[in-house]
Amino acid sequence: MNLLARSLAVSLISFASLSFTAQAQTAQQGNPNFKPQVGQAGKDVIWVPTPDSLVNRMLRMAQTTEKDFVVDLGSGDGKINIAAARDFKARGLGIEYNPDMVAVSRRMAREAGVDKMVEFRQGDIFKTEFFDATVVTMYLLPQLNLRLRPILLDRMKPGTRLVAHAFTMGDWEPDETSVVENRYGYLWIVPANASGNWRVNVAERAVGNFTMDLNQTYQRVSGNARLNADIEANLIDPELRGDQFKFALRAVDGRVLTYTGTVAGNRITGTVTGNGLNSTFTAERSGAPRQIHSGTDANSRAMNN
């Protein structure tokens, strides 16, 4: 091979190598000029954007503020994170499997002037950690919600707000439902695990200490208290919202007192009020808490295997 031919061959190889590298980088980083099409196929779902009116309602259901970190699972074109940053001043992260959609999201965030507040990351929602979120948004299929359910319940901090478009989480009933332009939005608040046996100590000695056994399914709590050797009574209207636990109980002397406390691991601290009383209480759990959810159903177990 003469010098000219050798030089031409080297140039062609170099051009091909550069072209391949550029194509690989484009595939990895995505194309910001990509034009999303409603109904286009994704990893596990097709892309259908959530209407702006429902996006706003979902973020309001979650009581989003500038103190929040909003994570959108399957963020598509990024509109939820962009709206959270633009309208509620909330920081955010969008996790999206399609790199072209990630590139479009970044471009739209720049155009909206919120690119310093939100990040869009290419990734699999089941392989990406997002446990520092205070608000989680999603528009996924029911079987994906069921796969996420134990992760959200077991790994997210109590009080984390979850909002979803269209699809629920099986037998985990939402705390709130809204309908906007015939589209459904659902809110769940991740509950603390308050189940198990507790020893309650009240600062006001006249009230008396007692034990209580709590059963819990998701955010629904029921239970009984043992006031002394002779008296057992059910908790009246127990309510758990995040890590805030409230119930009433009729004391030995007949007064109905209200207990309001914060669940933190194996301890509850709070106040006791009613009938002129204003005191404090602490509760310590003996033994391990019980499982508060049913796990995943048969379909989601099959998907995980």
Side-chain angles (χ1 to χ4, degrees):
M1 182 181 293
N2 61 35
L3 182 60
L4 179 60
R6 184 181 296 111
S7 177
L8 180 59
V10 170
S11 297
L12 289 172
I13 292 171
S14 298
F15 176 79
S17 177
L18 289 171
S19 178
F20 176 80
T21 301
Q23 291 175 5
Q25 289 176 342
T26 299
Q28 182 179 15
Q29 298 174 3
N31 176 12
N33 298 315
F34 176 74
K35 302 294 184 183
Q37 300 294 321
V38 174
Q40 69 186 28
K43 178 177 180 289
D44 297 303
V45 297
I46 62 172
W47 180 67
V48 178
T50 299
D52 292 342
S53 57
L54 183 57
V55 168
N56 182 272
R57 182 63 179 176
M58 288 166 60
L59 292 171
R60 291 189 183 280
M61 290 169 70
Q63 298 183 295
T64 308
T65 72
E66 70 278 0
K67 297 180 181 179
D68 283 311
F69 181 55
V70 179
V71 174
D72 187 22
L73 302 179
S75 52
D77 61 358
K79 69 185 310 180
I80 293 180
N81 285 121
I82 291 170
R86 182 191 62 228
D87 302 333
F88 299 90
K89 311 305 178 188
R91 297 178 303 109
L93 167 66
I95 304 171
E96 170 57 45
Y97 193 79
N98 184 331
D100 289 331
M101 296 296 281
V102 173
V104 169
S105 301
R106 291 169 179 167
R107 174 176 58 79
M108 293 180 65
R110 287 193 298 271
E111 293 174 355
V114 296
D115 52 307
K116 303 298 183 184
M117 301 177 64
V118 297
E119 175 190 357
F120 294 100
R121 187 181 304 166
Q122 193 280 327
D124 187 322
I125 60 174
F126 294 102
K127 298 178 181 178
T128 304
E129 291 195 356
F130 52 88
F131 307 123
D132 52 347
T134 58
V135 175
V136 176
T137 62
M138 65 196 88
Y139 183 14
L140 304 170
L141 293 175
Q143 62 266 32
L144 299 180
N145 285 357
L146 288 176
R147 286 182 63 190
L148 281 168
R149 189 174 67 185
I151 297 172
L152 297 169
L153 278 163
D154 296 337
R155 301 290 299 276
M156 304 305 295
K157 183 179 178 181
T160 302
R161 288 141 284 157
L162 317 174
V163 279
H165 174 191
F167 300 113
T168 61
M169 297 212 191
D171 60 352
W172 184 10
E173 297 179 359
D175 292 282
E176 184 180 336
T177 301
S178 283
V179 183
V180 180
E181 298 178 12
N182 296 317
R183 301 289 191 98
Y184 281 79
Y186 301 100
L187 167 73
W188 296 263
I189 298 175
V190 175
N193 190 334
S195 67
N197 295 294
W198 297 84
R199 175 69 184 176
V200 182
N201 298 296
V202 182
E204 176 57 58
R205 292 186 178 181
V207 174
N209 300 329
F210 58 91
T211 60
M212 62 182 180
D213 181 54
L214 303 182
N215 295 309
Q216 182 177 344
T217 303
Y218 302 109
Q219 73 273 44
R220 311 300 181 198
V221 178
S222 62
N224 295 317
R226 171 68 66 178
L227 304 181
N228 57 34
D230 300 318
I231 301 177
E232 182 177 338
N234 67 292
L235 272 58
I236 304 169
D237 296 328
E239 178 182 331
L240 180 65
R241 192 171 180 87
D243 61 357
Q244 300 301 298
F245 183 43
K246 181 179 180 180
F247 64 93
L249 182 65
R250 189 176 298 278
V252 173
D253 61 10
R255 292 181 294 174
V256 175
L257 304 177
T258 299
Y259 294 75
T260 305
T262 301
V263 183
N266 291 322
R267 187 176 176 86
I268 305 174
T269 57
T271 60
V272 188
T273 58
N275 294 96
L277 177 69
N278 190 348
S279 186
T280 61
F281 79 94
T282 60
E284 300 284 344
R285 178 161 43 198
S286 59
R290 302 163 188 146
Q291 181 171 290
I292 64 172
H293 58 85
S294 59
T296 55
D297 69 4
N299 290 334
S300 58
R301 279 197 300 270
M303 292 181 69
N304 282 324
N305 291 332

